[in-house]
Amino acid sequence: MSIFKNLLLIVAYLSLSACSNIERSRDLGNADVSGVTLVKQVCSECHGQNGNSTSPQFPKLAGQQIGYLQSQLMKFKDHSRSDRLAPEFMYGMSHGLTVKQIGEISEFLAQQQLINEKAQVMPDDYFGKLIYLNGMVDRGIPACQNCHGTMAQGQNDFPRLAGQHKQYLVKQLHVFHANIGRPDTPMQFVTQSLTEKEIDQVATYLSRL
Ligand code: HEC
Ligand code: HEC
């Protein structure tokens, strides 16, 4: 074989291996790695396979609204979302992502099927469901479904809540209530006069949808 042919083979081999490396890369600072690869190689460690996290500490992302995923990743990246675990976990994760990667990640996660092992609405969910569907007009609490949808599936920037871990939902309702770390959303107003018990009831209902 001529030297020229050998060289061609080596070049072909190198570009192939670079290609397969980039398909398995965990490098959050490399703009050439696709968002889908990053979800599978990095994000899945906490958020689970295809966004179905099993630990309640980590929110499920499967089937989440694309617009909401994008907006939250931008908010972690520019540090405007600063509830307690955001700086600890998500600032580093989002720091080097490009707008294109954020788009690819959000599109992929939005397309995944949400798995909810706890999906079963119980008779004691009656009050949680009532709050969700009707709010409490006399106390200025709007119906959640007005923004999050009848089945809590969300739309655009309004997140899906159905099937989310209860512990995470309760935690976020407290974050909005105390107005620490997630500013400039309607949720501070919404949660203003919700009691502990009501927060628990509505979160339980949503986690079982
Ligand atoms: C080491 C664990 C860990 C890894 C890895 C991780 N996350 Fe997170 N993520 C978290 C935690 C914890 C939260 C919840 C933060 C909070 O309570 O505010 C979160 C929250 C989020 C949220 C907000 C969800 C919501 O419902 O508001 C999005 C979106 C997100 N992560 C996307 C990603 C993406 C994309 C990646 C990969 C590039 C990633 N995460 C990697 C731990 C992680
Ligand atoms: C006027 C519209 C509106 C109404 C009504 C509303 N929400 Fe929201 N909600 C939002 C928006 C917008 C966000 C996203 C905020 C952000 O971008 O950080 C949100 C976020 C949330 C989150 C955080 C989800 C996550 O993944 O982190 C929870 C939980 C929530 N809402 C529960 C409720 C409940 C329960 C009610 C009814 C008591 C309700 N919302 C009523 C607009 C609304």
mmCIF file of all heavy atoms in Angstrom, residues 11 49 67 76 87 168 203:
data_model
loop_
_atom_site.group_PDB
_atom_site.id
_atom_site.type_symbol
_atom_site.label_atom_id
_atom_site.label_comp_id
_atom_site.label_asym_id
_atom_site.label_seq_id
_atom_site.Cartn_x
_atom_site.Cartn_y
_atom_site.Cartn_z
ATOM 1 N N VAL A 11 -6.353 9.170 8.416
ATOM 2 C CA VAL A 11 -7.223 10.349 8.526
ATOM 3 C C VAL A 11 -8.681 9.916 8.692
ATOM 4 O O VAL A 11 -9.411 10.430 9.547
ATOM 5 C CB VAL A 11 -7.057 11.275 7.281
ATOM 6 C CG1 VAL A 11 -8.146 12.337 7.246
ATOM 7 C CG2 VAL A 11 -5.682 11.922 7.298
ATOM 8 N N GLN A 49 -33.280 8.658 33.104
ATOM 9 C CA GLN A 49 -33.289 8.276 31.699
ATOM 10 C C GLN A 49 -34.382 9.056 30.971
ATOM 11 O O GLN A 49 -35.539 9.004 31.386
ATOM 12 C CB GLN A 49 -33.561 6.761 31.623
ATOM 13 C CG GLN A 49 -33.161 6.111 30.322
ATOM 14 C CD GLN A 49 -31.661 6.212 30.086
ATOM 15 O OE1 GLN A 49 -30.893 6.088 31.024
ATOM 16 N NE2 GLN A 49 -31.247 6.446 28.852
ATOM 17 N N GLY A 67 -41.128 25.490 25.844
ATOM 18 C CA GLY A 67 -40.903 26.910 26.176
ATOM 19 C C GLY A 67 -40.460 27.081 27.617
ATOM 20 O O GLY A 67 -39.579 27.897 27.927
ATOM 21 N N PHE A 76 -31.282 29.777 34.682
ATOM 22 C CA PHE A 76 -30.145 29.233 35.443
ATOM 23 C C PHE A 76 -28.847 29.844 34.899
ATOM 24 O O PHE A 76 -27.955 30.205 35.650
ATOM 25 C CB PHE A 76 -30.067 27.704 35.308
ATOM 26 C CG PHE A 76 -31.169 26.949 36.017
ATOM 27 C CD1 PHE A 76 -31.882 25.953 35.354
ATOM 28 C CD2 PHE A 76 -31.487 27.213 37.344
ATOM 29 C CE1 PHE A 76 -32.891 25.228 35.997
ATOM 30 C CE2 PHE A 76 -32.492 26.500 38.004
ATOM 31 C CZ PHE A 76 -33.198 25.504 37.321
ATOM 32 N N PRO A 87 -28.227 27.333 42.330
ATOM 33 C CA PRO A 87 -26.788 27.605 42.186
ATOM 34 C C PRO A 87 -25.964 26.341 42.394
ATOM 35 O O PRO A 87 -25.002 26.091 41.670
ATOM 36 C CB PRO A 87 -26.489 28.604 43.318
ATOM 37 C CG PRO A 87 -27.791 29.149 43.734
ATOM 38 C CD PRO A 87 -28.844 28.128 43.417
ATOM 39 N N TYR A 168 -40.983 17.924 45.200
ATOM 40 C CA TYR A 168 -40.486 19.054 44.410
ATOM 41 C C TYR A 168 -41.555 20.135 44.264
ATOM 42 O O TYR A 168 -41.265 21.327 44.388
ATOM 43 C CB TYR A 168 -40.000 18.562 43.033
ATOM 44 C CG TYR A 168 -39.592 19.703 42.130
ATOM 45 C CD1 TYR A 168 -38.375 20.364 42.311
ATOM 46 C CD2 TYR A 168 -40.438 20.155 41.128
ATOM 47 C CE1 TYR A 168 -38.019 21.432 41.505
ATOM 48 C CE2 TYR A 168 -40.084 21.231 40.311
ATOM 49 C CZ TYR A 168 -38.873 21.862 40.509
ATOM 50 O OH TYR A 168 -38.523 22.928 39.719
ATOM 51 N N ALA A 203 -50.468 19.742 45.790
ATOM 52 C CA ALA A 203 -49.277 19.036 45.286
ATOM 53 C C ALA A 203 -49.515 17.526 45.226
ATOM 54 O O ALA A 203 -49.065 16.861 44.282
ATOM 55 C CB ALA A 203 -48.073 19.352 46.173
#
